[in-house]
Amino acid sequence: MQLKDQAAIVTGGASGLGAATARKLAAQGAKVAVCDLNAKLAEELAKEIGGVAVTCDVADAASGEAAVIAASKAHGPARVLVNCAGIGVAKRVVGREGPHGLADFDRVIRVNLIGSFNMLRLAAAEMTKLEPLDGGERGVIISTASVAAYDGQIGQAAYSASKGGIVGMTLPIARELAQFGIRVLTIAPGLFLTPLLGALPQAAQDSLASAIPFPHRLGSPDEYASLALHMIDNPYLNGEVVRLDASLRMAPK
């Protein structure tokens, strides 16, 4: 799909992987809606790239619906959705203070998995109404999983479960939406230099990077964004989960 003048939505778009993706989409001529809970950061990025900021809680049905409507009013129905919104929690199933809090587990599942599905279902419903482009394509949806979906570490039960759910739903949704010419894909990043890891001391960052075979460093959000753009551009990519991890395989802890 050629991105010039096409509408796109990026969730979690105000920082990290989402911000890098929003910038690259805009650089290709897309009209980008930056969806994020952090209204201030979303406004700043939207102003920078000539897009529109939309405050959105992806885990809430009404908020997601309102965000898709707002984005559509600004730019027209989106042909591209990139789901980058997500959170993490590091807790053992049985820790020193007792069992893993169920509310913590529930929140991670709601934001990461249910939030991704919420925005996917809403964007897909709008895409089905669009006229097909050359080749019959109507839209592309990309979600963000993690290598933790495959080799999660101790303390990542909630996070791994949420990302594993995203991996698991990619193919069946791609098969379902194929009839409409909508492609569905997922990126599973490894260790990336997002604001979360960037806040760590350099020694801690170096320690994490030492486990990565090659390139021997943390990933750049621009590299995630470049893969997202290739997925949008390549019409034969569909129903696939692509690990972007420099061949990293996580140790138990």
Side-chain angles (χ1 to χ4, degrees):
M1 180 189 296
Q2 296 300 308
L3 282 166
K4 183 171 175 54
D5 297 325
Q6 300 294 357
I9 296 172
V10 182
T11 73
S15 64
L17 303 179
T21 302
R23 288 187 176 100
K24 279 197 180 291
L25 288 169
Q28 295 296 312
K31 298 176 289 185
V32 183
V34 180
C35 294
D36 205 286
L37 268 177
N38 190 322
K40 182 175 183 293
L41 284 182
E43 288 281 0
E44 290 173 357
L45 183 60
K47 183 177 180 181
E48 173 193 329
I49 65 174
V52 62
V54 180
T55 304
C56 177
D57 177 358
V58 297
D60 180 79
S63 182
E65 291 170 12
V68 170
I69 291 170
S72 182
K73 284 182 177 178
H75 297 148
R79 288 195 185 269
V80 173
L81 167 69
V82 184
N83 276 320
C84 291
I87 61 171
V89 62
K91 289 192 175 184
R92 290 177 178 256
V93 177
V94 181
R96 293 176 181 174
E97 298 179 358
H100 192 304
L102 191 58
D104 292 327
F105 190 93
D106 178 79
R107 181 166 177 264
V108 173
I109 296 295
R110 284 194 58 78
V111 174
N112 294 359
L113 177 55
I114 296 175
S116 294
F117 180 76
N118 183 34
M119 300 305 292
L120 181 155
R121 72 184 179 95
L122 296 168
E126 292 299 304
M127 290 177 188
T128 63
K129 304 170 188 175
L130 295 171
E131 287 298 315
L133 303 171
D134 292 344
E137 188 169 56
R138 283 188 171 88
V140 182
I141 297 171
I142 301 169
S143 293
T144 305
S146 167
V147 295
Y150 304 98
D151 36 69
Q153 297 183 299
I154 292 170
Q156 287 189 321
Y159 187 72
S160 294
S162 69
K163 297 301 187 177
I166 293 172
V167 169
M169 72 181 182
T170 300
L171 181 58
I173 296 176
R175 287 171 163 170
E176 178 183 341
L177 298 183
Q179 63 183 307
F180 302 110
I182 299 170
R183 295 187 289 118
V184 180
L185 295 145
T186 293
I187 299 173
L191 295 174
F192 273 68
L193 190 57
T194 58
L196 179 65
L197 292 187
L200 296 175
Q202 189 61 49
Q205 293 183 34
D206 293 343
S207 176
L208 290 171
S210 68
I212 300 172
F214 186 82
H216 205 51
R217 58 172 173 78
L218 299 177
S220 163
D222 277 349
E223 290 165 325
Y224 171 99
S226 293
L227 178 54
L229 258 62
H230 178 72
M231 286 178 161
I232 294 164
D233 182 62
N234 191 328
Y236 211 66
L237 269 173
N238 193 15
E240 188 59 76
V241 180
V242 178
R243 288 183 68 133
L244 187 62
D245 59 15
S247 74
L248 173 69
R249 296 300 179 267
M250 301 286 282
K253 59 181 179 179

